[in-house]
Amino acid sequence: MKNGIALTGIKPSGTPHIGNFLGMIKPALELAKDYQALYFIADYHALTTVKNRDELKKLTYEVAATWLALGLDPEKVIFYRQSDIPEVMELTWILACFTPKGLLNRAHAYKAAVDENLEKGKDSDEGINSGLFLYPALMAADILLFDTNFVPVGLDQKQHIEITRDIAQAINGNYKKEILTVPEAVIREDVMTIPGLDGRKMSKSYDNVIPIFESSKEIRKRVMRIVTDSRKPEDPKDPDEDNVFAIYKHFASPADLQRVSDGYRQGGLAYSEIKNALYELLEGEFAQARESYWRYMDDFTYLEKILQQGADKARMISQPKIEEIRKAIGIE
Ligand code: TRP
């Protein structure tokens, strides 16, 4: 018996790195063991910024291939593409009519765009599309349409879940009926702490990532580029201050972890050695997934089939739910 519904949206953002894997993908796959998971590709959210047709399509397939390659089982997880669920759009409008405009004015992403304009002496809304403004309402629809109990997200999305809760409560309050399930955020604190090659948070914008699906050669090159201090092999080192160890510890077995951290503390461990060990671990973890990924990326027809099957399952939930909501608000 599952403990409830866990739902999250994945905004396509290019080829994934091990920070994405540790921070989001792996915990989400774990969560799917105990909850009925609904994971979807948020392509309509991506449309707020991605305006190139081929790019949007490719980004969508990349997400699908990534998750399948890394072990998502589409028989167990309902895995779909947001735009295949028309009920999401209908609910977005309904929710918008219960969303105070001021609440959206204060949403971080929109507010940051406005502040940036003002700082540059521009008109406050210059270059900002209404989709970006309504982004939180669309996200609330994603969540509320499926009576979601838990939403695993990074800290940056916390406010969006709070907005979702506010909207759900406003509707339930107005109709004096528990029409919508008020969801809870499950925040992954550790998303922030996975360092990249230079020790800052691993992020594409810093160009400090270790990609998952690049060639072994490229991954090796990246690992060798991890910044270390100039201590010699014989010098004792603190493992918790080393960038290589900070990544290594997420992949090593407990026994190896013990042996290696002793090696750091006692001296005698060269950075080149631990880098090699990390590279080997990453190969062990991802070599097979890499093959699957490229196989999927060569077979969009297959990916389409999987996404369609996911959408069929999702709509078994969303269709009766939208009917229920329509009835409750007097639109039938
Ligand atoms: N906005 C989320 C992000 O940028 C993606 C997303 C869209 C989402 N809809 C969602 C996450 C619903 C959780 C639930 O990462």
Side-chain angles (χ1 to χ4, degrees):
M1 190 53 203
K2 302 274 180 176
N3 299 321
I5 292 188
L7 171 145
T8 201
I10 306 142
K11 215 161 93 170
S13 64
T15 43
H17 53 74
I18 63 172
N20 303 134
F21 174 74
L22 292 169
M24 155 132 200
I25 301 173
K26 198 171 167 217
L29 294 176
E30 287 290 318
L31 201 71
K33 293 180 185 156
D34 299 323
Y35 296 85
Q36 172 57 61
L38 285 95
Y39 298 156
F40 66 93
I41 306 166
D43 57 342
Y44 270 139
H45 277 110
L47 185 61
T48 61
T49 52
V50 182
K51 305 288 160 91
N52 178 294
R53 172 188 192 280
D54 293 340
E55 193 189 343
L56 187 57
K57 273 194 136 348
K58 179 165 168 271
L59 285 169
T60 299
Y61 289 134
E62 278 176 357
V63 175
T66 295
W67 284 73
L68 293 171
L70 292 172
L72 180 142
D73 178 353
E75 293 296 320
K76 300 208 172 98
V77 174
I78 301 182
F79 186 53
Y80 58 98
R81 173 171 49 202
Q82 179 186 40
S83 61
D84 287 330
I85 315 297
E87 293 79 21
V88 169
M89 278 304 124
E90 188 171 346
L91 185 56
T92 300
W93 177 257
I94 298 171
L95 299 185
C97 295
F98 286 86
T99 309
K101 180 170 171 290
L103 196 62
L104 298 182
N105 288 339
R106 291 190 294 278
H108 297 319
Y110 171 69
K111 197 167 167 295
V114 168
D115 289 348
E116 196 185 322
N117 275 338
L118 293 177
E119 234 163 68
K120 291 183 181 157
K122 295 182 184 168
D123 179 75
S124 59
D125 277 325
E126 192 171 320
I128 301 179
N129 66 68
S130 307
L132 181 74
F133 186 67
L134 273 174
Y135 188 112
L138 174 58
M139 188 159 154
D142 292 330
I143 297 169
L144 298 173
L145 187 59
F146 293 95
D147 282 322
T148 302
N149 304 106
F150 300 102
V151 190
V153 281
L155 195 57
D156 62 325
Q157 298 297 311
K158 195 174 166 200
Q159 189 195 31
H160 288 148
I161 312 303
E162 279 156 13
I163 294 174
T164 302
R165 292 169 57 90
D166 284 352
I167 300 173
Q169 278 156 349
I171 291 183
N172 290 346
N174 183 74
Y175 297 103
K176 300 190 176 48
K177 199 173 164 198
E178 295 299 305
I179 306 168
L180 301 171
T181 301
V182 182
E184 269 174 53
V186 181
I187 306 286
R188 296 178 305 258
E189 304 281 357
D190 55 345
V191 179
M192 304 302 170
T193 60
I194 292 152
L197 304 182
D198 56 358
R200 290 186 292 175
K201 180 187 169 189
M202 190 176 286
S203 162
K204 263 217 316 227
S205 45
Y206 295 149
D207 190 23
N208 67 354
V209 308
I210 301 179
I212 300 177
F213 300 127
E214 297 291 320
S215 65
S216 314
K217 199 170 148 217
E218 177 62 23
I219 289 175
R220 182 176 193 94
K221 216 163 78 189
R222 296 274 178 147
V223 169
M224 295 306 150
R225 256 177 52 198
I226 300 176
V227 177
T228 53
D229 62 27
S230 56
R231 262 175 265 202
K232 299 195 188 64
E234 57 272 22
D235 296 340
K237 312 169 185 67
D238 181 355
D240 295 324
E241 277 176 18
D242 177 41
N243 294 328
V244 190
F245 188 82
I247 302 172
Y248 175 86
K249 68 177 183 192
H250 292 287
F251 295 97
S253 69
D256 281 344
L257 210 54
Q258 189 60 50
R259 189 177 48 77
V260 165
S261 41
D262 290 348
Y264 269 86
R265 293 210 171 83
Q266 288 155 9
L269 190 96
Y271 286 127
S272 58
E273 223 174 297
I274 174 83
K275 283 183 174 179
N276 271 318
L278 172 59
Y279 166 74
E280 293 298 337
L281 279 178
L282 293 177
E283 278 299 289
E285 180 91 30
F286 297 120
Q288 218 181 342
R290 186 190 306 144
E291 263 179 47
S292 312
Y293 176 84
W294 290 110
R295 220 176 25 245
Y296 291 133
M297 285 305 280
D298 236 7
D299 192 355
F300 291 168
T301 316
Y302 177 76
L303 293 178
E304 267 308 321
K305 195 180 97 196
I306 295 291
L307 292 175
Q308 285 314 318
Q309 285 170 354
D312 289 345
K313 288 186 210 163
R315 292 195 76 197
M316 305 260 279
I317 306 173
S318 63
Q319 279 174 323
K321 187 70 200 178
I322 202 78
E323 287 306 319
E324 180 195 336
I325 296 169
R326 282 165 149 261
K327 227 175 239 149
I329 66 174
I331 291 180
E332 283 176 75

